[in-house]
Structures are given as C-alpha cells and as structure tokens.
Amino acid sequence: MERARVEWVDVAKGIAILLVVYGHVILGLNDATLWDTPNYHFQYSVVYGFHMPLFFLLSGLFINNWVNRPFKQAISQKAYRLLIPYVVWSLIQGSVMILLSGSTNSHNGWGLLAQIPTTPFSQFWYLYDLFVLFIVYYGLRRGIKLSDKWILLLALIIAPFAPYMALWQLFRIGYYLFFFVLGMFVWQHKAMLSKIPLSMATLGFIGVNVLYFHIRLPQFPRSVVGILVALVGIVFVLALSNKLHSKWLALIGRLSLPIYLMHILATAGTRILLMKLGMINVELQLLSGMLAGVLLPLLAYWLWQRVTIVWHNRRIVEH
C-alpha cells in the first residue's frame, strides 16, 4: 500500500534537494575557477555542513515500518528503488562525463564505469550508501535484535571516528548511520516539531554556522562539532518545513529523486554552454544553474511519464 503523503516531509525534501543542486552549482563554479571568494567558501561551509545529513535523516523517517517486512521483500524493494537507478544513471552520466571530459571539470576514463559495483562516483554515492545503510539497519534490528535506542547510541559513538575509516565507503556509512537512524526518532516525536520556535532555530542556524566557518579546528574535534552543526541545520529546516505550506516545494520534494539523478548533467551542461558563450558572471551562472538543475530534470521526468503512458495504452489496445 502506498503511504499517504505528509506535507512537511515533502517540503523538507524539497528544501534538501534545492540545497543539493545549489551545492553542486557553486562547487562546479569553483572547480571551473569562476568563483573562489570568501563568500563562496562561507556558502560552501553552510550547505555542505548539513544538507546530506538532512537527506539521510529524511530517508530514515519511515524505517520502523520498513524493517518489519520479510528480508527478501524489504531488500528487494530498496534494490528496485535505489540500486537500479544507481546503476542506470551511473552508466548514463559516467558515459557522458567520459565522452565530454575535455569540456568538463572531470577527466575520467572508461575504467570509471567498471568501478560502479564497489566505488560510486559523483552524486550517486548517496544511493549506494543509503542502500547499504538499509541493510546495516535491518541486520542490527532483525539479525542482532538490537533496540533502536541501542542502534542510535552505537551510531553516535561511531560517527566521530568516521573520517578515519578509509576502507571502502565506511567513512560515509559510519557518519550517516547516526542521522539515518535519528530520522526514525524524529518521526516518532514529530508532534514536537511544530513547537520549535522558527526565530530561535534561524538565529541558532546563522550563529552556529558563522562560528563554525571562522573557528578552525583539528580533524577529530571538528568531526564532533560537525555533527552538532549538522543537527542545528536539520532543526532549522524541520522547523521551517512545519511552518511553510508551499505546494511547489512539496512537489519538488516528491520528485527529489529524478532531480537528484539528473541535476549534475543539467547544471554542468548549462555552465559549460554559458562559458562557451562568454557568460561567466557568477550571479548569472548561479541563477541559470539552479533553474536548469531543477527544471530540466522535471521536464525530462514529465516527458518520460508521458512516453510511458502512451506506450502502456498502446499495448492495452494491441492486446
């Protein structure tokens, strides 16, 4: 049975995916040596300080329902929703990146595609690691039979040491497991979200990020502080999402997966085209990149849906 939509969840996903697109737009401008000012570095610090922890937390909101399914059914569902898009779009985007490597910020060969089973690239690491996190959580909950509180505590202990886990994807999985499991607790106490004062959440978000940007810390305490910074950003977005009633943000949130899959091709292509036309103004690049990164994937998704409907209807007529 399809789960009923929850507006604040879709709005939060909409904000999260806009942050993802914006983060990749500004990173692309920096890689192309078009933007390397203190303003860029501050914006990079803010966005990358919490946008992916937010995404993993939102991905974990409903895991308590999912984990009660039989193993084969539970894993098959996540393989269909995560691994198939991961493989298909890794092949598509990877091929485009390799063919156009002379015009892009990447210089990869065809060996990149052979590494897909073990080494995700570009934005697709999120789908890969999220699938692993679902398996890890299922194993801890149903296999070892740990309670959710013990899993959350274990994840919190592991998270600060994640930067030192250089093997495979453990440095990401070890860090994001905490936020993933925390999502379930957020859902269980969702009634409290509406009680968070948005003004206080906003001031805290601004103040903490200014301090985080200006205070340089060694790696280990910075990883601990980084978790706190991420949590402050998450609280801000959740408080904002509960106050906003935006249909367009909710729509973007519902369609966050196609945007996530296709936005790099759209933003990079737009940046390259504008540069070839001599349009290197940062503000123009930012606006164009954001519009392309959101609207072009939505257009592609809409066209795919239309083609699928026409093909399905034709098969019905033929039979």
Side-chain angles (χ1 to χ4, degrees), residues 170-284:
L170 293 183
F171 67 101
R172 287 192 183 121
I173 294 167
Y175 181 70
Y176 289 115
L177 176 62
F178 169 67
F179 298 100
F180 180 67
V181 178
L182 183 62
M184 177 186 54
F185 287 89
V186 169
W187 179 251
Q188 291 175 352
H189 300 90
K190 57 185 179 294
M192 297 179 60
L193 297 178
S194 60
K195 300 177 182 178
I196 300 174
L198 181 57
S199 58
M200 295 298 294
T202 303
L203 289 174
F205 175 68
I206 295 171
V208 165
N209 275 281
V210 170
L211 288 174
Y212 184 61
F213 178 70
H214 288 289
I215 299 176
R216 303 299 178 184
L217 297 171
Q219 178 61 43
F220 182 78
R222 190 176 179 87
S223 67
V224 176
V225 174
I227 294 171
L228 298 176
V229 171
L231 290 174
V232 170
I234 289 170
V235 169
F236 166 67
V237 171
L238 295 182
L240 180 62
S241 301
N242 266 266
K243 303 295 188 295
L244 281 177
H245 298 283
S246 172
K247 291 184 178 179
W248 72 270
L249 265 179
L251 175 63
I252 289 174
R254 289 195 296 272
L255 299 176
S256 58
L257 181 57
I259 295 173
Y260 194 89
L261 293 171
M262 292 181 269
H263 75 277
I264 290 290
L265 290 175
T267 57
T270 300
R271 183 186 68 248
I272 293 168
L273 176 61
L274 291 178
M275 289 178 65
K276 288 185 178 296
L277 295 175
M279 300 178 182
I280 59 173
N281 177 270
V282 171
E283 288 75 18
L284 175 63

Side-chain angles (χ1 to χ4, degrees), residues 39 72 107 109 112 116-117 152 158-159 168-169 187 224 230 232 269 288:
N39 186 18
K72 184 177 180 180
H107 304 283
L112 177 71
I116 289 174
L152 183 65
I158 292 173
W168 187 46
Q169 296 293 302
W187 179 251
V224 176
V232 170
S288 301

